[in-house]
Amino acid sequence: MTPRANTSKLRITLNTTRDREFLDSWAELEVIGATPAGGVERQAATAEDGQMREWFSQWLRDRGFTVEVDRVGNLFGLLEFHDGAPYVLVGSHLDSQPRGGRFDGAYGVLAGAVAADRVRRHAAESGVTPRYNIAVVDWFNEEGSRFKPSLMGSAVFTGAADLEDTLNIADHDGVTVREALTAIGSIGDRDVFGAGEGSRRLAAYAEIHIEQGRELEKDNVSIGLVDRTWAANKYELNVIGAQGHTGATAIDDRQDALLGASLIVVALRDIADEFGDELHTSCGQMTVLPNSPVVVPREVHMHLDLRSDNDELLAAADAALRKRIAEAEIRAKVKVEHRKAHVWPGHHYQPQGVELARTVADDLGVSSMLVQTRAGHDSTNMKEIVPSVMLFVPSVDGISHAEAEYTADEDLCTGVDLLTETLARMLDGALDSAAAERA
Ligand SMILES: [Zn+2]
């Protein structure tokens, strides 16, 4: 699509030949960690994630960015126009789920980098520099598949998670975050941004992502303006039973941990059916011990989540789940330990950011609509510390966290244009009023 842009209102002149920079770079990026079925596998701090970070660092350096990595592996490309001026940060994450899709996260990082680079070129050509500096970010471990929880790098960055505790979190094989980041040579020894005297400061944040839902596609709209994020309750449970012989142990004598876990999985679905569309529930991971065909399982580790836009409904669902867990304990003769719980509260994005993106979409002649995000994003953390803009492009059939994830080139390029112009206006202070409200 060639948008009918209102060029007199645009900070940056956008034209289709510039799409090549995005699409050519995208063709190089999407093959890193590629799987045979068309997806990618680049879990956090694996060799593939390391290879991707190296490729991206080189991409940034080739275009004049300075590359720095902070103490939890967040990778930044910095472009300084004015010494001491705050930065507008733009980015997403390059890691993926196991057998994940090509677009989740990686699109937002490259789109942000290309948008920043367009601003750089425009400043060089016109001689007019923006008021703020630019930084591009690849947040470490957004996905939370290898190391839990998700949104790890941005949580440490915003102070929602502790650095030392996070570096000591281990994966399934006992490898810690610190060890894994060290192994791929992608860990820094100081903060890149900070609150102290002389440290770099942030003015605002922007992120673009695939929708991972069907709303935009259904309404044939190019851009989603995210005004609200669903809250998520995440639980890590240990179901403790007793190991036995699957043949010899009498049914009545069994303390079957897998039966207990299964009752909880069914309970999750029952609760979702009972509460309706406003609640999503799931169990995404179970580890069965000892996982032998002829042994009644002694223990199951499981990861559950409840998500909703409605805090009261979420609290009611939490109460219903706890009741069902207590019933499962009695029926399966097991004990359920609540190992950990993470709560990502639901919140609004700053309305000034939503309005800014809507105005840019209108000026570019691009269709847009308000959407909520049911999935968590790094912007969920960032909006707690600076005004943040979150944009979506359509996902075909809403497929995500799967190899069939797809977004058309045209939609990707429209997103890059919209992000570029939004970034340009943020760099000239378009969200200063939102920042002042926070202060
Ligand atoms: Zn993502």
Side-chain angles (χ1 to χ4, degrees):
M1 181 181 70
T2 311
R4 272 168 290 117
N6 185 342
T7 47
S8 63
K9 289 189 176 170
L10 302 183
R11 301 280 209 284
I12 303 273
T13 315
L14 301 164
N15 63 60
T16 45
T17 57
R18 287 195 167 168
D19 288 347
R20 289 312 329 166
E21 180 182 21
F22 175 80
L23 292 173
D24 291 349
S25 297
W26 180 255
E28 289 179 30
L29 171 156
E30 67 175 350
V31 296
I32 300 172
T35 56
V40 293
E41 181 143 349
R42 290 190 302 260
Q43 293 192 67
T46 56
E48 291 76 18
D49 189 25
Q51 197 190 337
M52 173 60 106
R53 285 161 163 262
E54 250 167 59
W55 177 86
F56 185 55
S57 300
Q58 195 54 51
W59 190 100
L60 290 166
R61 285 192 200 100
D62 288 347
R63 288 158 181 82
F65 291 78
T66 305
V67 175
E68 289 190 24
V69 179
D70 74 8
R71 293 186 288 168
V72 69
N74 296 316
L75 189 153
F76 297 90
L78 305 157
L79 211 54
E80 192 178 78
F81 297 110
H82 306 287
D83 190 23
Y87 283 73
V88 174
L89 183 63
V90 59
S92 193
H93 60 96
L94 292 171
D95 69 318
S96 84
Q97 290 291 333
R99 293 199 196 181
R102 288 175 287 156
F103 301 88
D104 179 357
Y107 167 61
V109 175
L110 187 64
V114 167
D117 189 51
R118 284 174 168 185
V119 172
R120 175 189 66 83
R121 278 189 291 170
H122 184 262
E125 286 160 16
S126 66
V128 182
T129 51
R131 275 174 44 200
Y132 293 140
N133 299 317
I134 309 179
V136 181
V137 63
D138 162 29
W139 296 112
F140 173 66
N141 188 28
E142 190 273 351
E143 296 288 5
S145 50
R146 180 181 179 193
F147 299 104
K148 293 148 193 87
S150 54
L151 311 181
M152 185 174 272
S154 57
V156 171
F157 184 86
T158 61
D162 180 75
L163 173 70
E164 276 307 309
D165 291 352
T166 299
L167 291 174
N168 290 327
I169 290 171
D171 68 6
H172 198 264
D173 299 322
V175 179
T176 63
V177 167
R178 181 187 275 110
E179 289 163 350
L181 281 171
T182 305
I184 60 164
S186 207
I187 184 165
D189 55 8
R190 61 199 144 102
D191 292 332
V192 176
F193 288 86
E197 186 77 16
S199 355
R200 295 188 189 101
R201 288 171 301 130
L202 278 189
Y205 176 69
E207 179 167 355
I208 194 164
H209 203 278
I210 56 164
E211 185 192 6
Q212 306 173 291
R214 295 166 181 260
E215 303 296 312
L216 296 175
E217 190 181 49
K218 213 168 60 194
D219 290 2
N220 194 24
V221 166
S222 300
I223 294 290
L225 313 164
V226 181
D227 68 339
R228 196 173 155 80
T229 171
W230 274 32
N233 284 8
K234 301 199 172 190
Y235 310 81
E236 205 175 319
L237 305 181
N238 279 354
V239 182
I240 315 284
Q243 195 163 322
H245 193 298
T246 55
T249 311
I251 290 290
D252 215 31
D253 290 344
R254 294 184 189 195
Q255 299 172 49
D256 185 339
L258 185 55
L259 173 63
S262 305
L263 291 168
I264 294 168
V265 171
V266 173
L268 284 167
R269 184 55 178 259
D270 289 345
I271 292 167
D273 289 343
E274 183 188 327
F275 282 72
D277 286 348
E278 268 193 284
L279 180 75
H280 284 184
T281 68
S282 64
C283 169
Q285 189 179 60
M286 269 208 231
T287 309
V288 179
L289 300 174
N291 212 21
S292 160
V294 287
V295 176
V296 176
R298 68 169 184 273
E299 196 168 331
V300 176
H301 301 164
M302 55 196 308
H303 290 261
L304 325 178
D305 55 56
L306 302 182
R307 298 166 191 254
S308 179
D309 181 38
N310 180 329
D311 291 344
E312 277 170 33
L313 188 142
L314 196 59
D318 175 83
L321 175 64
R322 285 171 195 274
K323 184 163 169 276
R324 293 287 296 264
I325 288 174
E327 289 167 11
E329 284 183 304
I330 294 166
R331 172 150 184 224
K333 297 182 181 136
V334 295
K335 189 91 207 96
V336 178
E337 296 175 355
H338 292 255
R339 286 186 62 206
K340 269 183 213 157
H342 296 279
V343 176
W344 306 113
H347 278 302
H348 289 280
Y349 284 77
Q350 288 80 10
Q352 294 93 334
V354 177
E355 247 349 275
L356 169 67
R358 189 206 303 274
T359 306
V360 170
D362 290 348
D363 290 346
L364 284 171
V366 170
S367 56
S368 69
M369 65 188 259
L370 291 180
V371 288
Q372 296 181 342
T373 177
R374 296 179 171 88
H377 294 289
D378 294 302
S379 65
T380 317
N381 284 327
M382 288 303 292
K383 70 177 172 20
E384 300 302 312
I385 63 160
V386 284
S388 298
V389 178
M390 182 80 205
L391 304 169
F392 280 167
V393 292
S395 297
V396 172
D397 293 334
I399 296 169
S400 189
H401 284 186
E403 291 171 304
E405 189 179 87
Y406 184 71
T407 297
D409 284 357
E410 181 185 305
D411 288 329
L412 297 175
C413 291
T414 301
V416 176
D417 285 350
L418 198 103
L419 182 65
T420 304
E421 182 62 22
T422 304
L423 176 66
R425 296 185 196 189
M426 289 166 77
L427 286 162
D428 282 340
L431 294 185
D432 285 3
S433 67
E437 266 176 32
R438 297 190 58 81

